Amino acid sequence: NAGVTQTPKFQVLKTGQSMTLQCAQDMNHEYMSWYRQDPGMGLRLIHYSVGAGITDQGEVPNGYNVSRSTTEDFPLRLLSAAPSQTSVYFCASSYTGLAGSTDTQYFGPGTRLTVL
Amino acid sequence: AQTVTQSQPEMSVQEAETVTLSCTYDTSESDYYLFWYKQPPSRQMILVIRQEAYKQQNATENRFSVNFQKAAKSFSLKISDSQLGDAAMYFCAYEAGANSKLTFGKGITLSVRP
């Protein structure tokens, strides 16, 4: 198992450009999520998905779009990048148990994004 | 809304000594999970330990153990026999309910002195 993979590892954008951060997992996990990490802020949830075709907003969703067409992939789209979106982005996945609560979340290696 | 507080931004420990990292949280839920994640300079988020709120017994993983005080909403991490490889940022996190989402504290940077 490769676990949770993210591409690219680093990216520099200019203000107004668009891009997609890729996330994939090969563990057949139903639950996937995106977090951003900023200095002194910990990690904050952007969007999450409980299965293919189902997504919802987290704590800081503005400026980001997601979709979940397959169980394996959960891309994060920045439609018009802004300097405030400079951050490290983590994708995570976990198995959703029968009781509804999720198992431990496993994180990808992160993408460092700089918006100039 | 749930909140997780890590009030100490930095701590330092001598190699082979014991250190305790503090975490408090606020929730109205009765069933939830608590985690400590380690983030070394490689940036990878590594699960250190997990505690289910319904379990009274404190979780342990080798040199890592927690002191879970449910009534006080406190969840501290004890690292015994500290090693140079323990130097990292440590995050306390909370998760509750169906479609669970992690709420993180701001993290604490742990340095280990040789």
Side-chain angles (χ1 to χ4, degrees):
Chain A
N1 282 352
V4 180
T5 58
Q6 290 183 239
T7 55
K9 286 188 170 56
F10 301 94
Q11 183 70 49
V12 179
L13 292 177
K14 294 181 180 179
T15 297
Q17 287 184 316
S18 63
M19 80 159 296
T20 299
L21 306 184
Q22 302 290 344
C23 174
Q25 52 89 13
D26 61 357
M27 299 174 283
N28 201 32
H29 284 171
E30 296 155 309
Y31 186 90
M32 296 185 74
S33 52
W34 278 101
Y35 295 86
R36 61 176 288 172
Q37 180 180 15
D38 302 295
M41 299 292 291
L43 279 74
R44 292 179 293 169
L45 182 66
I46 304 172
H47 285 286
Y48 66 99
S49 169
V50 299
I54 306 171
T55 64
D56 205 348
Q57 296 181 350
E59 181 185 353
V60 287
N62 293 341
Y64 307 95
N65 282 348
V66 293
S67 60
R68 184 98 179 267
S69 56
T70 67
T71 300
E72 295 78 19
D73 301 297
F74 190 45
L76 179 72
R77 297 183 185 86
L78 285 71
L79 297 179
S80 180
S84 61
Q85 294 178 304
T86 294
S87 188
V88 178
Y89 292 84
F90 287 96
C91 180
S93 75
S94 64
Y95 171 72
T96 304
L98 293 176
S101 61
T102 55
D103 201 344
T104 301
Q105 292 195 32
Y106 295 92
F107 285 80
T111 295
R112 182 176 291 278
L113 175 68
T114 301
V115 182
L116 302 175
Chain B
Q2 295 86 5
T3 59
V4 177
T5 302
Q6 294 179 254
S7 56
Q8 306 155 302
E10 297 178 349
M11 286 196 74
S12 180
V13 64
Q14 190 75 35
E15 193 176 6
E17 297 294 311
T18 295
V19 64
T20 298
L21 310 183
S22 301
C23 173
T24 60
Y25 59 95
D26 187 25
T27 183
S28 58
E29 302 284 342
S30 58
D31 189 21
Y32 50 88
Y33 301 85
L34 296 164
F35 305 85
W36 279 97
Y37 279 91
K38 172 185 178 181
Q39 187 180 44
S42 68
R43 200 171 68 200
Q44 180 72 48
M45 294 290 288
I46 302 166
L47 177 68
V48 176
I49 201 163
R50 165 191 167 110
Q51 174 79 44
E52 290 87 349
Y54 64 86
K55 290 185 177 179
Q56 293 186 338
Q57 187 173 5
N58 289 328
T60 62
E61 288 289 342
N62 299 316
R63 298 183 294 108
F64 299 88
S65 62
V66 299
N67 183 4
F68 174 46
Q69 301 289 330
K70 190 173 184 178
K73 296 179 181 176
S74 171
F75 182 61
S76 60
L77 175 69
K78 186 172 80 171
I79 305 174
S80 304
D81 186 25
S82 297
Q83 301 175 0
L84 296 178
D86 295 333
M89 180 164 279
Y90 287 81
F91 291 96
C92 178
Y94 164 98
E95 177 182 337
N99 303 333
S100 298
K101 298 163 279 187
L102 283 171
T103 300
F104 284 87
K106 293 183 179 181
I108 178 171
T109 300
L110 177 67
S111 59
V112 181
R113 304 185 302 273

